[in-house]
Amino acid sequence: MKNQFNYYHYTMDVPQLGSTSTISLVESPVPIDRSRMVLGNTQYFSCNGILLIITYANDIVLWNPATKESRRIPCPIRSKSGGLYNFCYFPSIDSYKIFRLGRGVFNDDKNDMDIDIFSTKGNSWKSVGMFPSNYDFLDSSIVMSDGIVYMMAKRIGNLVNSTILRFCLEKEQFEEELLCVDTIPGRIRVLHSVGEKLCLITLSGDNNEVCEIWLYMMTTNSWNKILTIPLTLRPLSFMEDGSMMFQKFNRSGFVFEAYNSTTHKFEQVNVAEIEGLNLFNRVVPYVETLSSPNS
């Protein structure tokens, strides 16, 4: 018998420390394929109260869970499938832009990747160039922060130092690269985001079991280490009181924890009705708004 999974979308209000939140089922805006391959390759991103969902079957949807309004986005080009996505809202033009980095179906060169951009105002895709040929792309994701797309890379011929490429989505062009926080050979570095802030996670320890979390400070163009945590914790977002929300994985499923910025300790966040919902495929923080995906 084919292995199937019950696959749904839920929303949850993030509670303050010491209080309890509830989880609610919401109707999915995309066809739900319960196969393991499809679930593992679905991409989710959030911006301005809108979620961007890209499925393994190349369904691309903008969705506001609060208003239940959604908008289906056409695939970039028929010869292109898959790829890495992210998006951002630009108030100056009242439009969302979707960024795609990927290859054509018949292109096997890992660095020969196109950059395509979709504008909700123009309702069309356009190709704006290629990933720089003098860099190797190092990660399996791209990160958006303040309208800038960040990509982990290494200059070809440099076997030691990693760097971060920056692509300005508003100007649709590359900017000066951003150096990583350290140059320790062999250290694993992963780009991430905490809310709207760019984050770099570096792994250390004998088995890479310890994570250092660094936040990028755009005003000073510098990195600030804010926490050292176990590998089982994944940062999600900041809370209104300055605490940080984490997703924790363990043998009994997963729970939410928050780092209390006052006591400097981790505290479990209580979520009612979460029993039996341990296999979450993605957790995507977003701020509830009435924004329309049809802008």
Side-chain angles (χ1 to χ4, degrees), residues 134-136 138 153-163 177 179 183:
N134 55 331
Y135 288 89
D136 282 325
L138 294 182
K154 181 175 290 187
R155 189 182 291 273
I156 294 177
N158 188 332
L159 301 179
V160 178
N161 297 333
S162 300
T163 191
E177 66 185 53
L179 295 179
T183 58

Side-chain angles (χ1 to χ4, degrees), residues 46-51 62 64 71 87-91 93-98 117-123 169 289-295:
S46 69
C47 177
N48 194 40
I50 302 295
L51 299 186
L62 292 173
N64 186 333
R71 172 177 178 175
F87 80 127
C88 188
Y89 174 71
F90 294 96
I93 58 175
D94 189 26
S95 177
Y96 293 89
K97 285 189 175 183
I98 301 175
I117 295 176
F118 180 87
S119 169
T120 56
K121 186 174 288 292
N123 196 38
L169 191 53
T289 70
L290 299 179
S291 300
S292 172
N294 293 298
S295 296

Side-chain angles (χ1 to χ4, degrees), residues 1-45:
M1 181 175 180
K2 186 177 179 180
N3 189 15
Q4 294 287 316
F5 295 85
N6 292 323
Y7 177 36
Y8 305 99
H9 286 100
Y10 296 87
T11 61
M12 183 192 79
D13 292 330
V14 177
Q16 297 300 309
L17 293 177
S19 60
T20 300
S21 181
T22 59
I23 193 166
S24 303
L25 177 67
V26 291
E27 184 177 354
S28 173
V30 295
I32 295 177
D33 187 325
R34 295 177 171 84
S35 66
R36 186 183 296 272
M37 177 179 290
V38 172
L39 286 178
N41 288 278
T42 302
Q43 301 178 55
Y44 289 88
F45 308 96

Side-chain angles (χ1 to χ4, degrees), residues 86-110:
N86 216 315
F87 80 127
C88 188
Y89 174 71
F90 294 96
S92 59
I93 58 175
D94 189 26
S95 177
Y96 293 89
K97 285 189 175 183
I98 301 175
F99 176 94
R100 176 192 178 271
L101 175 69
R103 294 179 291 273
V105 174
F106 303 107
N107 192 339
D108 295 328
D109 189 333
K110 70 175 184 177

Side-chain angles (χ1 to χ4, degrees), residues 66 186 194 240 249 286 290:
V194 181
E240 291 183 0
F249 300 89
Y286 74 98
L290 299 179

Side-chain angles (χ1 to χ4, degrees), residues 169-188:
L169 191 53
E170 183 174 23
K171 298 178 182 179
E172 300 181 357
Q173 64 185 30
F174 278 95
E175 297 187 333
E176 182 180 359
E177 66 185 53
L178 176 64
L179 295 179
C180 285
V181 68
D182 62 57
T183 58
I184 299 177
R187 174 169 287 188
I188 297 176

